Amino acid sequence: MNRERIYQVLVAPHVSEKATVVAEKNSQYVFRVAPDATKPEIKKAVEALFEVKVDSVQTVNIKGKTKRTARGMGKRNDTRKAYVRLAAGQDIDFADAE
């Protein structure tokens, strides 16, 4: 997988209270990913970028909320998140990554 596609597949790490709890309990990390990204692509991208072994990938599609704005009704963008479970003893340090 080339570097360009890695950065297209992995949009950003998703940092929230729930993501922190999941990371501590299950050794899972949460990433916002491209809507067209597949599970094998996500697995290869994480392994290539962070040099870790990935056990499994679970994805979830989140529908954007409808919100009232000054110009009528608006809609937030739909997002896709990936929960990536690492092999035992593996860890991702976001400060150390490229």
Side-chain angles (χ1 to χ4, degrees):
M1 176 176 278
N2 60 2
R3 289 298 245 199
E4 245 178 72
R5 184 61 183 158
I6 289 173
Y7 291 118
Q8 289 174 353
V9 169
L10 297 177
V11 176
H14 182 78
V15 180
S16 66
E17 190 172 346
K18 181 181 177 183
T20 306
V21 170
V22 168
E24 291 173 357
K25 259 189 195 177
N26 302 329
S27 183
Q28 284 184 324
Y29 293 89
V30 185
F31 294 94
R32 286 198 319 249
V33 295
D36 63 338
T38 63
K39 289 182 181 183
E41 271 186 330
I42 295 168
K43 180 177 179 177
K44 287 179 186 175
V46 171
E47 287 178 344
L49 189 62
F50 297 105
E51 298 172 357
V52 292
K53 177 76 173 116
V54 175
D55 273 348
S56 65
V57 176
Q58 296 172 325
T59 59
V60 60
N61 292 317
I62 300 168
K63 301 295 181 192
K65 289 183 176 180
T66 302
K67 293 289 196 173
R68 180 179 296 277
T69 65
R71 294 168 188 82
M73 297 299 284
K75 183 179 175 295
R76 290 186 184 169
N77 294 334
D78 297 339
T79 58
R80 186 168 191 192
K81 292 192 299 188
Y83 289 82
V84 177
R85 182 184 303 264
L86 300 181
Q90 298 285 315
D91 190 28
I92 292 178
D93 184 18
F94 292 113
D96 191 35
E98 293 178 10

